[in-house]
Amino acid sequence: MKQIFALLSGLIFGLGLIISGMANPAKVLNFLDLFGTWDPSLAFVMGGAILITSPGFFWLTRTRSRPLFATAFRMPQKRDLEPKLIVGAGVFGIGWGLGGFCPGPALTALPIGAAGTLIFVPCMLAGMWAARQFSGRPSLLKAGTE
Amino acid sequence: METAFTPWLSLGGGLMIGASAVLLMATNGRIAGISGLASRIFARDSDSEARGVSAMFVLGLLLAAPLWFLASDGWPQQWVPASPILMAVAGLLVGFGAVFGSGCTSGHGVCGISRGSVRSIVATLVFMATAFLTVLVTRHLI
């Protein structure tokens, strides 16, 4: 059951990205281009998502002791603003601004088969693998990856 | 290239993304952070349960566009930067940065902010800042 719902969640997430226009890097890059062809759509995507997720998470964790098909809600427990967080976010933002893709839209757009996407996704996976190796502290990563 | 401002479609798609994150939390107890889920498929420290759930979520993502193709009159409209070197560098930075910084647009930007996590709010401000700066430099300064 848990796998079926994970699949369903991924499918809804991907369709949401397509409908919102976020599987199109041009829209993301235009959101980031305040002084050019600015397209504010991305703010509405994040806003819409938070509008559901914020009360949804609150309600779940207050009224339920555990998820339907797992033992516990795995909320990230880390609190400290370590350099790793800042450096990682900074590097991620540069890549996002270069290609217009973050991980969700890149994977969603992969089957469309644009040449740029076919290059981006394997490199992204290699970068993820490298970060997992480089970090070398599995216990921290396990608790900390949001 | 210009794109049309789509407030209603983007809001609607955003609501779906939020619903997906709540569904995954309600059923699996996991944060719908794509960099975390995707990298857990091959991380050494993942158990088989984490691998399985993550792989199924990513499979769902990969099925969305083909389903769209079958249900409508073609692939979703898109324009992707064509330079192979640019896209390779962008992919490496996105993948490395997202996992090193414990999350991306979904994990920090949506789920983390929704939980009121200070770490996620800071991370989102940082990656938004470097992304805006990157586009400012690439489109207007060079």
Side-chain angles (χ1 to χ4, degrees):
Chain A
M1 265 329 247
K2 63 168 61 169
Q3 256 111 0
I4 290 170
F5 277 100
L7 180 79
L8 194 62
S9 301
L11 189 62
I12 296 170
F13 200 106
L15 290 172
L17 285 170
I18 291 171
I19 290 169
S20 65
M22 294 300 108
N24 180 4
K27 267 183 101 61
V28 175
L29 291 170
N30 282 340
F31 172 75
L32 297 170
D33 192 5
L34 268 182
F35 305 104
T37 50
W38 194 48
D39 175 355
S41 302
L42 189 146
F44 285 69
V45 184
M46 274 184 79
I50 292 171
L51 217 55
I52 300 288
T53 313
S54 182
F57 282 2
F58 184 83
W59 174 78
L60 277 177
T61 49
R62 288 300 182 289
T63 61
R64 309 270 150 174
S65 56
R66 45 173 284 195
L68 286 171
F69 310 112
T71 50
F73 293 114
R74 293 163 183 261
M75 293 294 183
Q77 300 302 320
K78 281 166 117 183
R79 292 280 179 271
D80 55 322
L81 294 173
E82 50 186 352
K84 202 166 161 281
L85 177 85
I86 312 292
V87 171
V91 169
F92 165 71
I94 296 171
W96 193 35
L98 286 177
F101 268 139
C102 50
L107 290 168
T108 304
L110 186 63
I112 304 173
T117 317
L118 295 177
I119 294 168
F120 184 94
V121 169
C123 290
M124 176 183 85
L125 295 174
M128 287 178 169
W129 178 83
R132 287 268 180 193
Q133 302 296 313
F134 194 77
S135 300
R137 289 191 293 178
S139 59
L140 274 180
L141 276 176
K142 199 177 250 173
T145 305
E146 271 97 339
Chain B
M1 92 152 29
E2 286 196 41
T3 51
F5 175 39
T6 53
W8 293 109
L9 283 174
S10 290
L11 186 69
L15 295 174
M16 287 177 69
I17 292 168
S20 152
V22 173
L23 181 66
L24 188 70
M25 184 56 72
T27 55
N28 279 279
R30 289 181 188 277
I31 293 280
I34 313 305
S35 55
L37 291 168
S39 64
R40 252 184 218 104
I41 297 174
F42 52 81
R44 278 175 307 178
D45 54 309
S46 296
D47 52 48
S48 64
E49 191 229 326
R51 273 208 186 97
V53 167
S54 303
M56 290 306 273
F57 186 95
V58 170
L59 181 64
L61 276 184
L62 292 171
L63 288 175
L67 192 73
W68 179 274
F69 179 82
L70 292 175
S72 68
D73 51 359
W75 293 110
Q77 206 185 18
Q78 63 166 192
W79 173 87
V80 183
S83 159
I85 295 170
L86 176 103
M87 290 311 274
V89 172
L92 284 170
L93 295 178
V94 163
F96 184 87
V99 169
F100 200 66
S102 306
C104 56
T105 345
S106 47
H108 282 313
V110 173
C111 295
I113 288 182
S114 294
R115 294 185 300 114
S117 156
V118 175
R119 272 170 58 88
S120 289
I121 293 167
V122 170
T124 305
L125 290 174
V126 170
F127 71 63
M128 282 286 177
T130 56
F132 273 104
L133 276 173
T134 301
V135 171
L136 180 71
V137 170
T138 56
R139 284 198 174 175
H140 300 286
L141 299 181
I142 47 177

